[in-house]
Amino acid sequence: MDIHTVTSFRSARTRGDLALAPGETLLGGGTWLMSEPQPGTTGFVDLTTMGWPDLEVTPAGLRIGATCTIARFVAWARQESPSDWPATAMIPDAANALLASAKVWNTATVGGNICQSFAAAAMVGLTAGLDAEAVIWTPDGGERREPVATLVTGNQQNSLARGEVLRAVEIPDAALRSRFLLRKIALAEYGRSGAVVTGRVDPDGTAVFGITAATWAPTVLRFAALPDRAALHAAVEAASGYYSDPLGSADWRRGVSGVLAQRIRTELTA
């Protein structure tokens, strides 16, 4: 789509370049920005010229640069991820939860998908389910950190203030070593996900289940050990934020989230 209001474009190369003038907005892959009118936007500031590394394996875990494309993330998971991080096997499945073509994958960024904060954002479902932390640059030159699970506060809503920039997303080593599964469902075969559920058992035995797409904001359920069927059912039923839209009713989303969670529980028990 032509964005007729845009009259300026800047390539950011230093942190100082990220200071936004009135009407400017940050540009990552731009797949959403270019998909519909942006009447309040008069300028783009390109983040992809900052030169951030796509993916860094550290003793603490995995650091994903906000400008890493989804295609690069998927390729890394398939070909380069450490063998002792079995959770990375679910990265391609998470990417496939997007209603997006391979062409979009090659442009859309992990950080952009998180910052856009759609209820059905695939990278939100993945990273929230793995207890990822967002590394956020603040306008005063500082930095703050926040779990992705709380950064997203609603559909297309998050805690980022104007001028704050998502620099990276960090997934902890323990979560990457977990037995981790992701399951999704949609009303139509190629439709937007109506529910995305993740579940994992960490090396210390704790269990974490995540629900996205079915709820406005990520839901994270924690247990000291893998819960029994009744406990998991009660927790999923009691979660808040299930919603209705043309792609599914709130009751349907709650119900299928429970079914997916139980399927994951059964697989993790085996």
Side-chain angles (χ1 to χ4, degrees), residues 39-228:
T41 300
T42 59
F44 289 139
V45 179
D46 188 3
L47 287 174
T48 64
T49 50
M50 288 293 290
W52 295 336
D54 286 336
L55 299 146
E56 300 170 90
V57 175
T58 74
L62 177 65
R63 182 177 172 94
I64 310 163
T67 52
C68 176
T69 66
I70 291 171
R72 172 69 182 115
F73 193 29
V74 170
W76 175 87
R78 287 173 170 162
Q79 302 167 13
E80 304 170 44
S81 62
S83 60
D84 56 353
W85 282 355
T88 61
M90 289 295 102
I91 292 171
D93 286 358
N96 278 310
L98 284 166
L99 183 61
S101 66
K103 181 171 70 173
V104 172
W105 277 17
N106 279 286
T107 305
T109 62
V110 174
N113 188 251
I114 292 171
C115 290
Q116 200 53 50
S117 304
F118 284 112
M123 296 296 103
V124 172
L126 174 77
T127 55
L130 289 170
D131 285 340
E133 190 173 56
V135 180
I136 301 161
W137 281 358
T138 55
D140 61 2
E143 177 181 292
R144 70 178 182 90
R145 292 170 175 260
E146 183 175 358
V148 172
T150 61
L151 174 75
V152 178
T153 58
N155 190 43
Q156 280 196 284
Q157 298 175 3
N158 58 51
S159 66
L160 293 170
R162 179 167 174 78
E164 289 190 326
V165 178
L166 178 62
R167 167 60 184 86
V169 177
E170 295 181 346
I171 303 176
D173 175 75
L176 291 164
R177 293 178 184 275
S178 70
R179 296 163 59 204
F180 179 67
L181 296 173
L182 181 149
R183 299 291 181 262
K184 68 181 181 72
I185 191 169
L187 280 176
E189 184 178 359
Y190 297 108
R192 194 192 76 192
S193 296
V196 175
V197 179
T198 61
R200 72 176 210 263
V201 176
D202 288 350
D204 64 0
T206 59
V208 181
F209 286 79
I211 303 170
T212 52
T215 53
W216 285 126
T219 297
V220 180
L221 307 172
R222 300 184 185 279
F223 305 88
L226 193 64
D228 61 23

Side-chain angles (χ1 to χ4, degrees), residues 228-252:
D228 61 23
R229 177 174 294 275
L232 182 57
H233 173 78
V236 173
E237 283 286 307
S240 62
Y242 294 107
Y243 64 96
S244 297
D245 71 1
L247 299 177
S249 69
D251 286 344
W252 175 79

